[in-house]
Amino acid sequence: MTENQGNLYIISSVAGGGKSTLIDLLLRKHPEILFSVSYTSRPIRGGEKNGLNYHFISKEEFEDLVVKNYFYEWAQVHDNYYGTPKEFIEKNLKDGKKIILDIDVQGADKVKSSLPSSVSIFIVPPSREIWVERLKNRGTDDPQVIEKRIKNGLHELEAQDRFDNRIVNNELMKALEELETIILS
Ligand code: 5GP
Protein backbone atom coordinates (compact mmCIF):
# COMPACT_ATOMS: atom_id res chain seq x y z
CA MET A 1 0.00 0.00 0.00
CA THR A 2 1.36 3.46 -0.89
CA GLU A 3 1.37 6.25 1.67
CA ASN A 4 -1.60 8.27 0.42
CA GLN A 5 -3.81 5.32 -0.23
CA GLY A 6 -7.21 5.19 1.44
CA ASN A 7 -8.61 2.18 3.17
CA LEU A 8 -11.53 -0.21 3.20
CA TYR A 9 -13.69 -0.76 6.27
CA ILE A 10 -15.64 -3.97 5.99
CA ILE A 11 -18.80 -4.05 8.07
CA SER A 12 -20.60 -7.36 8.40
CA SER A 13 -23.34 -8.67 10.62
CA VAL A 14 -26.35 -10.90 10.53
CA ALA A 15 -29.57 -9.65 8.88
CA GLY A 16 -31.30 -7.59 11.58
CA GLY A 17 -28.04 -6.94 13.44
CA GLY A 18 -28.57 -3.19 13.16
CA LYS A 19 -25.71 -2.65 10.72
CA SER A 20 -27.58 -0.45 8.20
CA THR A 21 -28.77 1.99 10.88
CA LEU A 22 -25.24 2.31 12.24
CA ILE A 23 -23.77 2.87 8.78
CA ASP A 24 -26.43 5.51 7.98
CA LEU A 25 -25.63 7.41 11.16
CA LEU A 26 -21.89 7.20 10.53
CA LEU A 27 -22.21 8.49 6.95
CA ARG A 28 -24.49 11.34 7.95
CA LYS A 29 -21.97 12.44 10.56
CA HIS A 30 -18.92 11.96 8.33
CA PRO A 31 -19.74 12.89 4.73
CA GLU A 32 -16.07 12.44 3.79
CA ILE A 33 -16.47 8.69 4.29
CA LEU A 34 -17.73 6.92 1.16
CA PHE A 35 -20.19 4.05 0.95
CA SER A 36 -19.72 1.42 -1.72
CA VAL A 37 -23.12 0.82 -3.32
CA SER A 38 -23.24 -2.86 -4.24
CA TYR A 39 -24.98 -4.49 -7.18
CA THR A 40 -27.60 -7.10 -6.40
CA SER A 41 -30.06 -9.38 -8.14
CA ARG A 42 -32.39 -9.32 -5.13
CA PRO A 43 -35.77 -7.62 -5.64
CA ILE A 44 -35.98 -4.05 -4.37
CA ARG A 45 -37.73 -3.65 -0.98
CA GLY A 46 -40.19 -0.92 -0.06
CA GLY A 47 -38.32 2.21 1.00
CA GLU A 48 -35.17 1.31 -0.94
CA LYS A 49 -33.84 3.44 -3.78
CA ASN A 50 -32.05 2.13 -6.85
CA GLY A 51 -28.54 3.56 -6.95
CA LEU A 52 -28.63 4.56 -3.31
CA ASN A 53 -29.08 1.33 -1.34
CA TYR A 54 -28.06 -0.95 -4.19
CA HIS A 55 -27.88 -1.00 -7.95
CA PHE A 56 -30.72 -3.44 -8.63
CA ILE A 57 -30.12 -5.59 -11.70
CA SER A 58 -31.32 -8.96 -13.05
CA LYS A 59 -29.57 -12.28 -12.43
CA GLU A 60 -28.51 -12.36 -16.08
CA GLU A 61 -27.07 -8.84 -15.95
CA PHE A 62 -25.18 -9.76 -12.78
CA GLU A 63 -23.72 -12.92 -14.36
CA ASP A 64 -22.66 -10.86 -17.36
CA LEU A 65 -20.81 -8.41 -15.09
CA VAL A 66 -19.08 -11.34 -13.33
CA VAL A 67 -17.78 -12.55 -16.69
CA LYS A 68 -16.56 -9.01 -17.44
CA ASN A 69 -14.60 -9.00 -14.15
CA TYR A 70 -16.58 -5.98 -12.96
CA PHE A 71 -16.54 -6.89 -9.26
CA TYR A 72 -13.92 -6.42 -6.55
CA GLU A 73 -15.66 -9.33 -4.82
CA TRP A 74 -19.04 -10.94 -5.19
CA ALA A 75 -21.02 -13.64 -3.43
CA GLN A 76 -24.32 -15.44 -3.40
CA VAL A 77 -26.22 -14.60 -0.21
CA HIS A 78 -29.72 -15.88 0.64
CA ASP A 79 -30.21 -17.06 -3.01
CA ASN A 80 -29.30 -13.70 -4.54
CA TYR A 81 -26.11 -12.28 -5.98
CA TYR A 82 -24.32 -9.32 -4.40
CA GLY A 83 -21.17 -7.64 -5.67
CA THR A 84 -18.85 -4.72 -4.94
CA PRO A 85 -17.95 -2.61 -8.01
CA LYS A 86 -14.21 -2.80 -8.59
CA GLU A 87 -13.70 0.54 -10.35
CA PHE A 88 -15.32 2.53 -7.52
CA ILE A 89 -13.07 0.84 -4.95
CA GLU A 90 -9.83 1.16 -6.89
CA LYS A 91 -10.38 4.80 -7.88
CA ASN A 92 -11.30 5.95 -4.39
CA LEU A 93 -8.52 3.98 -2.69
CA LYS A 94 -6.10 5.75 -5.01
CA ASP A 95 -7.68 9.09 -4.05
CA GLY A 96 -7.02 8.35 -0.37
CA LYS A 97 -10.66 7.84 0.67
CA LYS A 98 -12.07 5.79 3.49
CA ILE A 99 -14.68 3.45 2.05
CA ILE A 100 -17.34 1.48 3.91
CA LEU A 101 -18.29 -1.93 2.55
CA ASP A 102 -21.52 -3.41 3.89
CA ILE A 103 -20.92 -6.99 2.82
CA ASP A 104 -21.47 -10.51 4.12
CA VAL A 105 -18.90 -12.70 5.87
CA GLN A 106 -17.84 -14.46 2.64
CA GLY A 107 -17.15 -11.08 1.04
CA ALA A 108 -15.31 -9.95 4.18
CA ASP A 109 -12.95 -12.94 3.94
CA LYS A 110 -12.27 -12.25 0.26
CA VAL A 111 -11.56 -8.53 0.76
CA LYS A 112 -9.37 -9.17 3.79
CA SER A 113 -7.22 -11.60 1.83
CA SER A 114 -6.89 -9.34 -1.22
CA LEU A 115 -6.23 -6.20 0.87
CA PRO A 116 -4.83 -7.22 4.29
CA SER A 117 -4.69 -3.58 5.46
CA SER A 118 -8.49 -3.37 5.24
CA VAL A 119 -10.24 -3.27 8.61
CA SER A 120 -13.03 -5.73 9.32
CA ILE A 121 -15.76 -5.01 11.83
CA PHE A 122 -18.51 -7.42 12.91
CA ILE A 123 -21.66 -5.94 14.42
CA VAL A 124 -22.95 -8.38 17.04
CA PRO A 125 -26.64 -8.27 18.03
CA PRO A 126 -27.09 -7.90 21.82
CA SER A 127 -28.65 -11.35 22.27
CA ARG A 128 -30.13 -14.10 20.14
CA GLU A 129 -33.64 -13.33 21.44
CA ILE A 130 -33.46 -9.60 20.64
CA TRP A 131 -32.02 -10.34 17.22
CA VAL A 132 -34.77 -12.84 16.27
CA GLU A 133 -37.39 -10.38 17.53
CA ARG A 134 -35.88 -7.55 15.44
CA LEU A 135 -35.88 -9.72 12.34
CA LYS A 136 -39.52 -10.63 12.78
CA ASN A 137 -40.56 -7.02 13.44
CA ARG A 138 -38.82 -5.56 10.38
CA GLY A 139 -41.88 -6.31 8.27
CA THR A 140 -39.81 -6.42 5.09
CA ASP A 141 -39.70 -10.17 4.51
CA ASP A 142 -42.20 -13.03 4.57
CA PRO A 143 -41.98 -15.78 7.26
CA GLN A 144 -40.05 -18.26 5.09
CA VAL A 145 -37.47 -15.62 4.25
CA ILE A 146 -37.16 -14.74 7.95
CA GLU A 147 -36.62 -18.42 8.85
CA LYS A 148 -33.90 -18.64 6.23
CA ARG A 149 -32.23 -15.47 7.51
CA ILE A 150 -32.21 -16.85 11.07
CA LYS A 151 -30.64 -20.11 9.88
CA ASN A 152 -28.00 -18.30 7.82
CA GLY A 153 -27.46 -15.77 10.60
CA LEU A 154 -26.61 -18.47 13.13
CA HIS A 155 -23.93 -19.67 10.72
CA GLU A 156 -22.67 -16.10 10.10
CA LEU A 157 -22.39 -15.42 13.84
CA GLU A 158 -19.77 -18.16 13.98
CA ALA A 159 -17.56 -16.07 11.65
CA GLN A 160 -17.25 -13.13 14.05
CA ASP A 161 -13.96 -14.38 15.58
CA ARG A 162 -12.22 -13.89 12.23
CA PHE A 163 -12.94 -10.14 12.28
CA ASP A 164 -10.44 -7.50 13.45
CA ASN A 165 -13.10 -5.81 15.59
CA ARG A 166 -16.43 -6.73 17.14
CA ILE A 167 -19.02 -4.18 18.24
CA VAL A 168 -21.97 -5.34 20.34
CA ASN A 169 -24.97 -3.33 19.16
CA ASN A 170 -26.66 -2.99 22.51
CA GLU A 171 -26.98 0.77 22.67
CA LEU A 172 -27.01 2.43 19.25
CA MET A 173 -25.10 5.62 20.17
CA LYS A 174 -22.43 3.68 22.05
CA ALA A 175 -22.02 1.31 19.11
CA LEU A 176 -21.71 4.34 16.79
CA GLU A 177 -18.99 5.81 18.99
CA GLU A 178 -17.06 2.54 18.89
CA LEU A 179 -17.41 2.42 15.11
CA GLU A 180 -16.16 6.01 14.78
CA THR A 181 -13.18 5.27 17.00
CA ILE A 182 -12.16 2.34 14.80
CA ILE A 183 -12.63 4.18 11.49
CA LEU A 184 -11.27 7.59 12.43
CA SER A 185 -8.23 6.40 14.38
P1 5GP B 1 -29.80 -7.53 2.19
O1 5GP B 1 -30.46 -8.32 1.12
O2 5GP B 1 -30.45 -7.76 3.53
O3 5GP B 1 -29.67 -6.07 1.84
O4 5GP B 1 -28.30 -8.05 2.32
C1 5GP B 1 -28.02 -9.40 2.54
C2 5GP B 1 -26.54 -9.57 2.83
O5 5GP B 1 -25.77 -9.30 1.67
C3 5GP B 1 -26.01 -8.63 3.92
O6 5GP B 1 -25.20 -9.41 4.79
C4 5GP B 1 -25.16 -7.65 3.16
O7 5GP B 1 -24.09 -7.15 3.95
C5 5GP B 1 -24.64 -8.53 2.05
N1 5GP B 1 -24.13 -7.76 0.91
C6 5GP B 1 -24.58 -6.59 0.40
N2 5GP B 1 -23.82 -6.18 -0.62
C7 5GP B 1 -22.84 -7.12 -0.77
C8 5GP B 1 -21.72 -7.26 -1.66
O8 5GP B 1 -21.46 -6.45 -2.54
N3 5GP B 1 -20.95 -8.35 -1.49
C9 5GP B 1 -21.19 -9.29 -0.54
N4 5GP B 1 -20.35 -10.32 -0.43
N5 5GP B 1 -22.22 -9.20 0.32
C10 5GP B 1 -23.04 -8.12 0.20
Side-chain angles (χ1 to χ4, degrees), residues 19 38 42 45 54 73 75 77-78 82-84 102-104 107 149:
K19 173 184 57 167
S38 294
R42 133 162 114 57
R45 293 190 189 125
Y54 285 104
E73 65 72 39
V77 189
H78 313 303
Y82 294 84
T84 303
D102 170 348
I103 61 177
D104 83 318
R149 284 176 183 249

Short mmCIF file of all heavy atoms in Angstrom, two decimals, residues 19 38 42 45 54 73 75 77-78 82-84 102-104 107 149, ligand 1:
data_model
loop_
_atom_site.label_atom_id
_atom_site.label_comp_id
_atom_site.label_asym_id
_atom_site.label_seq_id
_atom_site.Cartn_x
_atom_site.Cartn_y
_atom_site.Cartn_z
N LYS A 19 -26.85 -3.19 11.47
CA LYS A 19 -25.71 -2.65 10.72
C LYS A 19 -26.09 -1.45 9.84
O LYS A 19 -25.37 -0.44 9.83
CB LYS A 19 -25.19 -3.83 9.88
CG LYS A 19 -24.15 -3.57 8.92
CD LYS A 19 -23.86 -4.85 8.15
CE LYS A 19 -25.10 -5.41 7.47
NZ LYS A 19 -24.84 -6.45 6.49
N SER A 38 -23.40 -1.57 -3.58
CA SER A 38 -23.24 -2.86 -4.24
C SER A 38 -24.27 -3.06 -5.35
O SER A 38 -25.29 -2.37 -5.40
CB SER A 38 -23.45 -3.99 -3.23
OG SER A 38 -22.43 -3.98 -2.27
N ARG A 42 -31.21 -9.16 -5.99
CA ARG A 42 -32.39 -9.32 -5.13
C ARG A 42 -33.43 -8.26 -5.47
O ARG A 42 -33.08 -7.14 -5.85
CB ARG A 42 -31.93 -9.23 -3.65
CG ARG A 42 -32.77 -8.33 -2.82
CD ARG A 42 -32.65 -8.52 -1.36
NE ARG A 42 -32.08 -7.40 -0.63
CZ ARG A 42 -32.55 -6.16 -0.62
NH1 ARG A 42 -33.55 -5.80 -1.41
NH2 ARG A 42 -31.97 -5.25 0.12
N ARG A 45 -36.74 -3.66 -2.07
CA ARG A 45 -37.73 -3.65 -0.98
C ARG A 45 -38.37 -2.26 -0.89
O ARG A 45 -37.77 -1.28 -1.33
CB ARG A 45 -37.05 -3.91 0.37
CG ARG A 45 -36.49 -5.29 0.54
CD ARG A 45 -36.07 -5.48 2.00
NE ARG A 45 -35.33 -6.71 2.18
CZ ARG A 45 -34.12 -6.78 2.73
NH1 ARG A 45 -33.51 -5.69 3.17
NH2 ARG A 45 -33.52 -7.94 2.85
N TYR A 54 -28.72 0.01 -3.30
CA TYR A 54 -28.06 -0.95 -4.19
C TYR A 54 -28.28 -0.48 -5.62
O TYR A 54 -29.17 0.33 -5.88
CB TYR A 54 -28.72 -2.34 -4.09
CG TYR A 54 -28.40 -3.13 -2.85
CD1 TYR A 54 -29.35 -3.24 -1.82
CD2 TYR A 54 -27.19 -3.79 -2.71
CE1 TYR A 54 -29.07 -4.00 -0.68
CE2 TYR A 54 -26.91 -4.54 -1.57
CZ TYR A 54 -27.85 -4.64 -0.56
OH TYR A 54 -27.58 -5.37 0.56
N GLU A 73 -15.27 -8.04 -5.39
CA GLU A 73 -15.66 -9.33 -4.82
C GLU A 73 -17.13 -9.48 -5.06
O GLU A 73 -17.84 -8.49 -5.23
CB GLU A 73 -15.33 -9.42 -3.31
CG GLU A 73 -16.11 -8.46 -2.39
CD GLU A 73 -17.58 -8.79 -2.18
OE1 GLU A 73 -17.92 -9.98 -2.05
OE2 GLU A 73 -18.40 -7.87 -2.17
N ALA A 75 -20.62 -12.42 -4.13
CA ALA A 75 -21.02 -13.64 -3.43
C ALA A 75 -22.50 -13.88 -3.65
O ALA A 75 -23.25 -12.96 -4.01
CB ALA A 75 -20.73 -13.52 -1.94
N VAL A 77 -25.74 -14.66 -1.59
CA VAL A 77 -26.22 -14.60 -0.21
C VAL A 77 -27.73 -14.77 -0.24
O VAL A 77 -28.41 -14.06 -1.01
CB VAL A 77 -25.89 -13.22 0.44
CG1 VAL A 77 -26.18 -13.24 1.93
CG2 VAL A 77 -24.46 -12.79 0.17
N HIS A 78 -28.26 -15.66 0.59
CA HIS A 78 -29.72 -15.88 0.64
C HIS A 78 -30.32 -16.01 -0.78
O HIS A 78 -31.29 -15.34 -1.12
CB HIS A 78 -30.46 -14.72 1.33
CG HIS A 78 -29.87 -14.26 2.63
ND1 HIS A 78 -29.68 -15.09 3.69
CD2 HIS A 78 -29.48 -13.04 3.04
CE1 HIS A 78 -29.17 -14.40 4.70
NE2 HIS A 78 -29.03 -13.16 4.34
N TYR A 82 -24.71 -10.65 -4.90
CA TYR A 82 -24.32 -9.32 -4.40
C TYR A 82 -22.87 -9.09 -4.80
O TYR A 82 -22.04 -10.00 -4.65
CB TYR A 82 -24.38 -9.27 -2.88
CG TYR A 82 -25.78 -9.42 -2.29
CD1 TYR A 82 -26.34 -10.66 -2.09
CD2 TYR A 82 -26.51 -8.29 -1.92
CE1 TYR A 82 -27.61 -10.80 -1.54
CE2 TYR A 82 -27.78 -8.42 -1.37
CZ TYR A 82 -28.32 -9.67 -1.18
OH TYR A 82 -29.57 -9.79 -0.64
N GLY A 83 -22.54 -7.89 -5.27
CA GLY A 83 -21.17 -7.64 -5.67
C GLY A 83 -20.74 -6.20 -5.47
O GLY A 83 -21.54 -5.27 -5.58
N THR A 84 -19.46 -6.04 -5.18
CA THR A 84 -18.85 -4.72 -4.94
C THR A 84 -18.18 -4.25 -6.23
O THR A 84 -17.32 -4.97 -6.76
CB THR A 84 -17.77 -4.86 -3.84
OG1 THR A 84 -18.39 -5.40 -2.67
CG2 THR A 84 -17.11 -3.54 -3.51
N ASP A 102 -20.53 -2.65 3.12
CA ASP A 102 -21.52 -3.41 3.89
C ASP A 102 -21.69 -4.73 3.15
O ASP A 102 -22.45 -4.82 2.18
CB ASP A 102 -22.82 -2.59 3.93
CG ASP A 102 -24.01 -3.37 4.48
OD1 ASP A 102 -23.91 -4.60 4.62
OD2 ASP A 102 -25.04 -2.74 4.74
N ILE A 103 -20.91 -5.72 3.56
CA ILE A 103 -20.92 -6.99 2.82
C ILE A 103 -21.00 -8.17 3.79
O ILE A 103 -20.79 -8.02 4.99
CB ILE A 103 -19.68 -7.13 1.89
CG1 ILE A 103 -18.38 -7.09 2.69
CG2 ILE A 103 -19.69 -6.03 0.83
CD1 ILE A 103 -17.13 -7.30 1.83
N ASP A 104 -21.30 -9.35 3.25
CA ASP A 104 -21.47 -10.51 4.12
C ASP A 104 -20.11 -11.11 4.51
O ASP A 104 -19.06 -10.63 4.06
CB ASP A 104 -22.38 -11.56 3.44
CG ASP A 104 -21.59 -12.42 2.48
OD1 ASP A 104 -20.75 -11.89 1.74
OD2 ASP A 104 -21.81 -13.65 2.49
N GLY A 107 -17.78 -12.23 1.68
CA GLY A 107 -17.15 -11.08 1.04
C GLY A 107 -16.05 -10.51 1.93
O GLY A 107 -14.98 -10.12 1.44
N ARG A 149 -33.21 -16.46 7.01
CA ARG A 149 -32.23 -15.47 7.51
C ARG A 149 -31.74 -15.84 8.91
O ARG A 149 -30.58 -15.60 9.25
CB ARG A 149 -32.83 -14.07 7.48
CG ARG A 149 -32.85 -13.56 6.04
CD ARG A 149 -33.50 -12.25 5.84
NE ARG A 149 -33.49 -11.97 4.42
CZ ARG A 149 -32.77 -11.01 3.82
NH1 ARG A 149 -32.05 -10.21 4.54
NH2 ARG A 149 -32.80 -10.84 2.53
P1 5GP B 1 -29.80 -7.53 2.19
O1 5GP B 1 -30.46 -8.32 1.12
O2 5GP B 1 -30.45 -7.76 3.53
O3 5GP B 1 -29.67 -6.07 1.84
O4 5GP B 1 -28.30 -8.05 2.32
C1 5GP B 1 -28.02 -9.40 2.54
C2 5GP B 1 -26.54 -9.57 2.83
O5 5GP B 1 -25.77 -9.30 1.67
C3 5GP B 1 -26.01 -8.63 3.92
O6 5GP B 1 -25.20 -9.41 4.79
C4 5GP B 1 -25.16 -7.65 3.16
O7 5GP B 1 -24.09 -7.15 3.95
C5 5GP B 1 -24.64 -8.53 2.05
N1 5GP B 1 -24.13 -7.76 0.91
C6 5GP B 1 -24.58 -6.59 0.40
N2 5GP B 1 -23.82 -6.18 -0.62
C7 5GP B 1 -22.84 -7.12 -0.77
C8 5GP B 1 -21.72 -7.26 -1.66
O8 5GP B 1 -21.46 -6.45 -2.54
N3 5GP B 1 -20.95 -8.35 -1.49
C9 5GP B 1 -21.19 -9.29 -0.54
N4 5GP B 1 -20.35 -10.32 -0.43
N5 5GP B 1 -22.22 -9.20 0.32
C10 5GP B 1 -23.04 -8.12 0.20
#
